[in-house]
Amino acid sequence: MKTMNVLFIVAVSSYLPGTTMGVGWTYHDIPAWGTHYPQCKGQHQSPIDIKHDDAVVDKKLGEFRHALFDVPSQSMLIKNNGHSLQIDLTNGYSINDRSLLPGQFKAVQFHFHWAAPNAKGSEHLINGNQYWGELHIVHYNTKYPDVGTAANKSDGLAVLGFFIKDDYPQDNTAVKRILDPVAAGQINYDTENKTYATSFSLETFLPNNLTVYYRYQGSLTTPGCYESVVWTIFNQPIRISRIQANVFEKMVFESKRNASNPVRINGNFRPFQALNGRTVSRSTYCSGAGSFSMPIFHFIALCATVVGLIIVR
């Protein structure tokens, strides 16, 4: 039993949960996930299609500030886990504000979901609209000793989700720092990893406006699909260049480096799941905007202007 617990913790730490109890999975067999991981057939699964007009304004939801994310981790390890690019954080920042999250939560890693070429690849949708990709920052509730223990608890995890658009006219310099080992051909294949020479704060690549977001209770979007996640989905996207999107789409493989026919990782997203009566809340900021008849980016810019939050970064 002791050996099994160690295996579980290692697996959950790697992509939450990555490969649990020795049973593999891929994005090529999503309909079969429920066979080996029964919770993938649960009633409170993620991701979802967020309908703005159906989201309930929650005045208790506070304002995320960039200062929360401005402390670099002790060290940062980028790895290809065969499903995504993941960056593990050693001694990451903590959020201890109950207007933001229901407890004290510590950041342990972030990872990416992205499109196949000429497609879309975000996991969550807004009013049926899908973005090119999505970034997830994973935290665990510090009432538990570690992320492995917390992963299957109903209040165990908190994930902050950020959409990614591939329309920026130049490289996003903060994202470039993340991707440099991939572009250099060092972290392209399954199990390859590298510790960054210098850690950097997550604040550097987050969007300017963190005030407009959605909140709901859901699950991990990979097996074992534990319904243990309080989700926060921010409305303003991170923007990267098409060249940077190509690095994700063409230079990251689910295969080992010595594979004769390496398979690229792209389209690594789970389709949206049924809401099944759950309530989606939204922050109070700019809450009277209606159904987003204008493009979301323009709406965010308008809201930010109104509340005085547009800044040059």
Side-chain angles (χ1 to χ4, degrees):
M1 180 62 71
K2 183 176 181 181
T3 300
M4 185 173 290
N5 286 341
V6 171
L7 173 62
F8 177 74
I9 290 171
V10 170
V12 172
S13 297
S14 180
Y15 198 55
L16 288 135
T19 302
T20 328
M21 299 304 189
V23 178
W25 60 271
T26 75
Y27 283 102
H28 309 295
D29 66 350
I30 291 176
W33 287 2
T35 301
H36 298 292
Y37 305 95
Q39 290 207 42
C40 293
K41 297 184 289 187
Q43 294 298 298
H44 294 163
Q45 291 291 291
S46 297
I48 61 170
D49 182 4
I50 297 169
K51 305 295 186 183
H52 176 80
D53 284 350
D54 293 339
V56 178
V57 174
D58 186 348
K59 295 182 179 180
K60 295 180 181 179
L61 292 177
E63 179 182 347
F64 283 87
R65 297 182 182 275
H66 284 87
L68 288 169
F69 310 97
D70 200 22
V71 179
S73 303
Q74 181 179 335
S75 66
M76 302 175 72
L77 175 80
I78 181 173
K79 63 187 179 185
N80 178 330
N81 59 31
H83 305 292
S84 177
L85 285 177
Q86 176 176 312
I87 292 80
D88 290 343
L89 310 174
T90 299
N91 195 23
Y93 68 86
S94 293
I95 297 177
N96 188 19
D97 181 342
R98 288 187 175 272
S99 75
L100 302 178
L101 293 172
Q104 178 171 309
F105 286 81
K106 188 176 185 66
V108 290
Q109 55 107 320
F110 62 92
H111 61 266
F112 296 88
H113 300 267
W114 61 86
N118 303 310
K120 302 294 184 182
S122 69
E123 296 215 295
H124 289 85
L125 281 64
I126 299 285
N127 292 337
N129 296 312
Q130 189 176 24
Y131 281 87
W132 173 86
E134 191 168 331
L135 165 72
H136 292 160
I137 308 176
V138 180
H139 312 68
Y140 76 94
N141 193 330
T142 58
K143 68 186 284 186
Y144 303 107
D146 50 58
V147 65
T149 305
N152 64 352
K153 305 297 189 297
S154 62
D155 60 349
L157 302 176
V159 180
L160 307 183
F162 298 86
F163 295 113
I164 304 174
K165 293 184 72 174
D166 61 336
D167 65 344
Y168 205 55
Q170 60 193 37
D171 283 353
N172 180 318
T173 55
V175 174
K176 180 181 182 299
R177 180 161 45 185
I178 298 172
L179 289 178
D180 276 347
V182 183
Q186 299 170 328
I187 314 297
N188 305 87
Y189 296 87
D190 184 24
T191 72
E192 295 182 338
N193 64 82
K194 177 183 176 64
T195 299
Y196 290 100
T198 304
S199 295
F200 48 89
S201 70
L202 276 61
E203 187 273 342
T204 59
F205 56 79
L206 298 183
N208 290 336
N209 190 341
L210 302 179
T211 63
V212 183
Y213 62 89
Y214 302 91
R215 168 67 48 79
Y216 78 99
Q217 193 69 33
S219 74
L220 295 172
T221 63
T222 57
C225 306
Y226 300 123
E227 294 180 345
S228 58
V229 182
V230 54
W231 278 96
T232 305
I233 305 297
F234 293 87
N235 213 318
Q236 186 176 27
I238 298 166
R239 298 175 68 197
I240 66 173
S241 69
R242 180 91 290 271
I243 292 174
Q244 291 175 311
N246 283 336
V247 173
F248 284 101
E249 294 172 3
K250 298 181 179 180
M251 297 187 68
V252 187
F253 296 84
E254 64 182 69
S255 314
K256 305 292 185 183
R257 184 172 286 271
N258 59 358
S260 57
N261 294 298
V263 178
R264 290 188 177 95
I265 297 175
N266 47 39
N268 60 340
F269 64 93
R270 187 188 193 189
F272 72 88
Q273 305 294 298
L275 194 58
N276 290 326
R278 283 174 287 174
T279 297
V280 178
S281 303
R282 55 185 166 99
S283 58
T284 59
Y285 303 96
C286 298
S287 60
S291 59
F292 290 127
S293 58
M294 69 179 75
I296 290 177
F297 178 76
H298 294 162
F299 162 73
I300 295 297
L302 174 61
C303 289
T305 301
V306 171
V307 298
L309 289 169
I310 287 268
I311 56 176
V312 177
R313 293 167 56 77

